Amino acid sequence: MTSFYTYLSSPVDWCEPNFTHSGWIAEWWNTLSSFIILLVGYMGVKTARGKNNEQILKQLSVCVSFIGLGSVWFHATLSFGGQFADEVSILILLFILLNRFYRWSKMVVFILVMIAFTGMCLFPWWNHLELMLLGFLTVRQFRLRLANGAPSSSAWILRLALWIFFLAVASWGIDHLCLTQRFSFHALWHVLIGITAYLGLYWLGESILPL
């Protein structure tokens, strides 16, 4: 159990060199950029009252806040506990969205969550692939919303969010391949995915379409 909280206990180590700016923070820029995600979630919670889709907007904003907290913990320590907190929060957010889109039964949701959760525990080095797959399934549903006629007054927000999401994934891929250590592309991923989340939450609050 000690290793759950221990520095460097995660099997995942991103491209940014460790402990270059502080003896307490493993990945300096990845940790600082994670606060952007936390801030987006906090702003979503604070501004959700009275918005369209208020209930789901609050749920997603809370999830984004926990993703930010988990990301800060993960990149500051590179601990398995931090990785687990970060990725489970993402998993919960994605399942909330996918369940809204597909209207799964409670039994189906339970089975899928248990499969994903078990995979995270047994194969933590493959979690990013699992989350990316679920993420693209979610993005596909948002693209279908656009194709099926999202209100023109808010469609540009969702369209911009999707384009920034693809830029974010490209940044994540560059960092995953560790093509350069001169610039933290994973920190850029945090910034871009934070902007994506902000635009997505904003669109959800303005959209007349129920989610």
Side-chain angles (χ1 to χ4, degrees):
M1 181 60 70
T2 303
S3 63
F4 188 83
Y5 303 100
T6 304
Y7 273 78
L8 306 180
S9 57
S10 168
V12 177
D13 189 358
W14 300 98
C15 193
E16 182 181 352
N18 298 335
F19 302 106
T20 56
H21 293 78
S22 169
W24 295 95
I25 299 176
E27 296 176 341
W28 179 262
W29 295 112
N30 289 351
T31 301
L32 291 184
S33 59
S34 297
F35 282 101
I36 294 174
I37 302 173
L38 175 59
L39 178 62
V40 168
Y42 173 77
M43 291 170 59
V45 172
K46 292 290 288 184
T47 60
R49 183 180 297 274
K51 297 282 188 178
N52 296 330
N53 298 299
E54 180 178 343
Q55 182 180 7
I56 185 67
L57 187 58
K58 286 182 177 179
Q59 292 174 0
L60 295 175
S61 297
V62 169
C63 286
V64 172
S65 297
F66 276 102
I67 291 170
L69 286 172
S71 185
V72 170
W73 179 13
F74 177 30
H75 291 291
T77 64
L78 290 179
S79 64
F80 182 74
Q83 179 188 354
F84 190 77
D86 181 19
E87 293 174 347
V88 166
S89 299
I90 299 172
L91 182 68
I92 293 172
L93 180 142
L94 292 174
F95 268 113
I96 289 174
L97 285 170
L98 289 170
N99 187 44
R100 287 279 181 154
F101 288 133
Y102 292 103
R103 304 296 179 182
W104 291 322
S105 67
K106 292 182 179 179
M107 180 58 68
V108 170
V109 172
F110 177 78
I111 292 173
L112 290 175
V113 168
M114 286 299 100
I115 291 173
F117 185 80
T118 302
M120 282 187 163
C121 294
L122 297 179
F123 311 105
W125 50 89
W126 291 109
N127 291 353
H128 52 276
L129 296 179
E130 176 184 332
L131 294 174
M132 279 293 178
L133 174 61
L134 293 173
F136 275 105
L137 285 175
T138 305
V139 167
R140 179 178 179 273
Q141 289 299 318
F142 279 114
R143 293 187 68 186
L144 287 175
R145 289 291 175 109
L146 278 175
N148 292 334
S152 58
S153 60
S154 61
W156 71 270
I157 301 173
L158 186 54
R159 189 173 289 108
L160 179 60
L162 292 174
W163 276 109
I164 295 175
F165 170 79
F166 289 121
L167 288 175
V169 171
S171 297
W172 183 92
I174 292 172
D175 183 77
H176 183 66
L177 296 173
C178 204
L179 298 180
T180 179
Q181 289 187 319
R182 294 183 178 181
F183 180 81
S184 178
F185 277 92
H186 198 83
L188 180 60
W189 147 262
H190 288 160
V191 173
L192 294 175
I193 208 66
I195 295 172
T196 300
Y198 175 80
L199 291 172
L201 292 171
Y202 183 82
W203 172 81
L204 192 58
E206 298 297 321
S207 176
I208 60 174
L209 291 177
L211 186 64

